[in-house]
């Protein structure tokens, strides 16, 4: 079980008075009335809502959010969302019932109020995003300390230490800091085992290559996609093939390096034989060979007076 470091809590004095309780932001429209001059009047709490929303936004746009007041601001933003959908709903319902003049008047008043609501919703959302990013940044600093502790404890080299991931779940509000620390420790334990397995494989490969007289680096690179056991078996097979080639060479027998000649190369040979044999040709070939075949291949080129140069290699 990891020892938790805990984020340092800020001491901020927060007013307990809440200007708006849950569900208090609601649009109320009275039935339109026909005036003596035959104009239509629509009354409602449009102005009151607009004033209340502007006051809330003005206050909380300039207030640093903390654990004490962030919950209330989230509730406010949620009420803004509910108010926005409520205004849209009211506007559609009134459109069904009243004639065009009343509908246009209500639409105009609703649009003005929706604009105020949208600005308020965006302002509170920006504050909440800023607060959450600050919380995540502070938590990241703490999580990196856990990572550093685990890296040191398990002796991880850089290539393994950088594989420890700060998972998304660590940033969930429901996630306990202690659980995140334990999970980082779990990752470090797995990477330590992976590092030890790799080091053991390298040691085995170097020992096997030393006995066989091979260069180990080529085989060590194969640990990225093969097990050490598979590579050791390959080294033994390559050693056997090398010994067989060496025995043939000692007896003066003809040695063939690589696979039988391909159809494309056969065509090239046929084409060359039809032209002047004294003219120099240049062919670009991709040669694949084992480490122990390098000397034999070089000897073949040299004895047959074939010039060659390295253009590119895969290591």
């Amino acid at each position: 079980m990891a020892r938790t470091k805990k984020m340092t809590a800020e001491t901020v004095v927060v007013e307990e008075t809440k200007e708006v309780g849950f569900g208090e932001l609601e649009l109320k429209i009275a039935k339109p009335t026909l005036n003596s001059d035959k104009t239509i009047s629509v009354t409602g709490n449009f102005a009151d809502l607009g004033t209340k929303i502007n006051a809330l936004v003005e206050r909380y746009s300039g207030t640093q959010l903390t654990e004490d007041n962030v919950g209330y601001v989230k509730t406010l933003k949620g009420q803004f969302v509910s108010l926005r959908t409520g205004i849209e709903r009211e506007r559609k319902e009134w459109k069904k019932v009243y004639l065009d003049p009343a509908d246009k008047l209500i639409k105009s008043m609703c649009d003005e109020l929706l604009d105020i609501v949208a600005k308020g919703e965006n302002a509170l959302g920006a504050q909440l995003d800023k607060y959450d990013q600050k919380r995540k940044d502070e938590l990241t600093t703490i999580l990196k300390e856990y990572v550093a502790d685990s890296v040191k404890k398990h002796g991880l080299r850089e290539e393994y230490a950088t594989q420890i991931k700060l998972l998304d779940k660590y940033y969930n509000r429901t996630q306990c800091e202690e659980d995140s620390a334990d999970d980082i420790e779990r990752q470090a334990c797995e990477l330590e085992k992976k590092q030890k397995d790799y080091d053991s494989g390298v040691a085995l490969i170097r020992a096997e290559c030393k006995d066989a007289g091979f260069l180990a680096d080529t085989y060590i690179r194969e640990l990225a996609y093969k097990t050490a056991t598979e590579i050791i078996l390959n080294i033994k097979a390559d050693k056997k093939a090398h010994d067989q080639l060496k025995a043939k060479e000692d007896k003066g027998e003809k040695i063939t390096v690589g696979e039988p000649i391909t159809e494309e190369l056969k065509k090239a040979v046929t084409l060359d034989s039809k032209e002047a044999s004294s003219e120099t040709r240049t062919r670009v070939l991709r040669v694949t060979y084992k480490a122990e075949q390098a000397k034999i291949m070089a000897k073949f080129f040299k004895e047959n007076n074939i010039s060659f140069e390295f253009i590119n290699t895969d290591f």
Side-chain angles (χ1 to χ4, degrees):
M1 192 70 70
R3 181 171 60 86
T4 53
K5 301 175 184 297
K6 300 290 183 184
M7 287 194 290
T8 303
E10 296 181 8
T11 303
V12 180
V13 178
V14 181
E15 295 181 25
E16 293 297 327
T17 303
K18 310 301 184 187
E19 298 88 342
V20 178
F22 183 76
E24 290 184 21
L25 292 178
E26 182 181 0
L27 174 63
K28 298 176 182 178
I29 307 176
K31 183 178 179 179
T33 57
L34 181 64
N35 301 318
S36 59
D37 59 356
K38 297 185 179 181
T39 59
I40 294 176
S41 296
V42 177
T43 59
N45 62 340
F46 294 95
D48 180 57
L49 270 178
T51 301
K52 187 174 289 188
I53 291 169
N54 283 328
L56 288 170
V57 173
E58 183 178 353
R59 174 180 176 182
Y60 286 99
S61 291
T63 300
Q64 181 178 350
L65 300 189
T66 68
E67 288 294 329
D68 295 314
N69 60 13
V70 67
Y72 178 59
V73 174
K74 283 186 176 181
T75 301
L76 281 179
K77 184 174 182 294
Q79 289 195 52
F80 278 24
V81 174
S82 298
L83 178 59
R84 172 165 46 81
T85 56
I87 294 171
E88 291 283 3
R89 183 175 59 252
E90 284 291 321
R91 184 169 62 180
K92 290 177 182 178
E93 290 299 318
W94 282 82
K95 183 178 178 65
K96 295 177 184 177
V97 177
Y98 290 95
L99 297 176
D100 192 58
D103 175 56
K104 285 184 177 180
L105 180 58
I106 292 173
K107 180 179 182 301
S108 174
M109 298 171 75
C110 285
D111 285 345
E112 183 178 349
L113 186 57
L114 281 171
D115 184 58
I116 296 173
V117 172
K119 290 178 180 177
E121 188 180 338
N122 292 336
L124 294 182
Q127 280 290 84
L128 290 169
D129 289 343
K130 181 180 178 182
Y131 169 80
D132 196 52
Q133 188 58 54
K134 181 174 179 290
R135 180 186 68 85
K136 288 181 177 179
D137 290 343
E138 292 175 349
L139 184 55
T140 297
T141 299
I142 292 174
L143 293 172
K144 286 183 176 180
E145 290 179 12
Y146 285 123
V147 171
D149 291 345
S150 294
V151 167
K152 183 177 181 181
K153 176 181 176 181
H154 295 279
L156 299 180
R157 296 192 296 273
E158 183 179 2
E159 64 267 29
Y160 291 94
T162 53
Q163 294 182 45
I164 296 180
K165 305 298 181 185
L166 298 183
L167 305 180
D168 290 342
K169 67 177 182 179
Y170 298 167
Y171 295 93
N172 293 340
R173 287 186 171 277
T174 55
Q175 175 81 359
C176 294
E177 183 183 322
E178 190 174 55
D179 292 340
S180 298
D182 289 341
D183 196 67
I184 289 172
E185 176 66 13
R186 174 194 60 76
Q187 291 188 61
C189 286
E190 293 176 357
L191 288 167
E192 181 185 19
K193 182 180 182 302
K194 187 177 178 181
Q195 179 175 278
K196 286 181 177 178
D197 289 345
Y198 177 84
D199 291 346
S200 297
V202 169
L204 290 171
I205 290 170
R206 289 194 183 281
E208 192 69 30
C209 285
K210 184 177 180 181
D211 292 341
F214 295 163
L215 294 175
D217 290 346
T218 301
Y219 294 101
I220 290 174
R221 283 193 289 271
E222 295 180 359
L223 279 172
Y225 51 89
K226 290 183 181 179
T227 65
T229 301
E230 290 175 318
I231 297 171
I232 295 300
L233 292 175
N234 289 343
I235 295 172
K236 291 182 180 296
D238 292 344
K239 176 65 166 60
K240 182 178 179 181
H242 174 270
D243 291 343
Q244 290 174 345
L245 289 173
K246 187 67 170 60
K248 288 182 177 181
E249 184 181 25
D250 292 342
K251 292 179 181 179
E253 296 180 13
K254 182 180 179 181
I255 299 174
T256 301
V257 180
E259 299 295 327
I261 194 167
T262 64
E263 288 300 317
E264 289 186 5
L265 194 53
K266 283 181 180 179
K267 292 178 182 178
V269 171
T270 302
L271 181 62
D272 284 342
S273 64
K274 293 179 180 179
E275 299 176 3
S277 58
S278 59
E279 187 176 345
T280 301
R281 304 286 182 209
T282 299
R283 301 282 182 194
V284 179
L285 306 176
R286 179 182 297 278
V287 181
T288 303
Y289 59 93
K290 296 288 186 180
E292 69 274 6
Q293 295 175 313
K295 290 183 179 179
I296 298 174
M297 183 174 62
K299 182 180 179 181
F300 170 80
F301 288 150
K302 185 176 180 180
E303 290 180 349
N304 289 276
N305 198 27
I306 300 174
S307 299
F308 65 92
E309 62 175 314
F310 284 106
I311 297 176
N312 190 23
T313 64
D314 61 353
F315 59 90

